[in-house]
Amino acid sequence: MRPFHLLGLAVIACSLGCGYSTARVHGTVKHKGELVTDATIMLLTIDNQVYRADLDGSGSYVIEGVPQGSVRVAIQQALPAVAPRPDPPAFQRDRKTTDSGEVITDDRPPRATSPPGTPRIPENLADAAKSGLSFELNKPDFEWSIDIP
């Protein structure tokens, strides 16, 4: 029974003293030279945790407390905004009548649209396993910026 007690003490000691050094990661994200502002950057770290930050109006981000080591990156763009449906009276005014007197309405939902000038990044970047983006975090203050081709 004694070896199990020693093993338990070793696990507790390691959990207290064998932690990862952490870092501050910051940078900017661009797509073909244009700043990306409507996206979230996610860092998948050596401790199998995800650290995330929304990009601000200048395409920048800051993430504190990221464990040092190998980091895989995903960038997920926000979904485009959907225009609200018109009020029923306005919708009824848009009805069309065929030659035979049949009333036709367009019941399709509105299409999603991106704001003008918003670059759309490739969808494969939303998955850290498929994005191909990674870096080795080895400094307490680390800058990682990217211009996605």
Side-chain angles (χ1 to χ4, degrees):
M1 201 70 158
R2 280 201 131 162
F4 291 114
H5 292 294
L6 292 176
L7 179 63
L9 288 174
V11 169
I12 292 171
C14 189
S15 68
L16 295 175
C18 299
Y20 301 103
S21 297
T22 62
R24 174 182 177 264
V25 181
H26 57 94
T28 58
V29 177
K30 294 181 181 181
H31 181 264
K32 297 181 181 177
E34 294 184 45
L35 293 172
V36 176
T37 58
D38 61 340
T40 301
I41 187 165
M42 294 167 281
L43 308 179
L44 179 62
T45 60
I46 193 166
D47 65 351
N48 206 28
Q49 297 295 315
V50 176
Y51 297 81
R52 62 179 296 279
D54 293 330
L55 300 177
D56 65 17
S58 64
S60 300
Y61 70 93
V62 176
I63 305 174
E64 302 276 350
V66 180
Q68 292 187 17
S70 296
V71 177
R72 291 185 292 168
V73 181
I75 303 171
Q76 186 173 30
Q77 196 152 26
L79 294 174
V82 175
R85 288 197 136 181
D87 292 333
F91 185 69
Q92 291 173 357
R93 283 195 301 267
D94 293 336
R95 295 187 306 171
K96 297 176 185 170
T97 307
T98 63
D99 292 337
S100 64
E102 182 182 356
V103 176
I104 301 172
T105 58
D106 187 4
D107 289 334
R108 292 177 296 177
R111 299 185 110 194
T113 56
S114 297
T118 303
R120 297 301 300 168
I121 61 175
E123 290 181 16
N124 68 314
L125 296 182
D127 184 350
K130 298 177 184 174
S131 72
L133 304 175
S134 64
F135 61 89
E136 191 66 30
L137 181 55
N138 52 14
K139 297 177 187 174
D141 189 37
F142 191 85
E143 180 180 354
W144 189 81
S145 297
I146 186 170
D147 190 349
I148 303 161

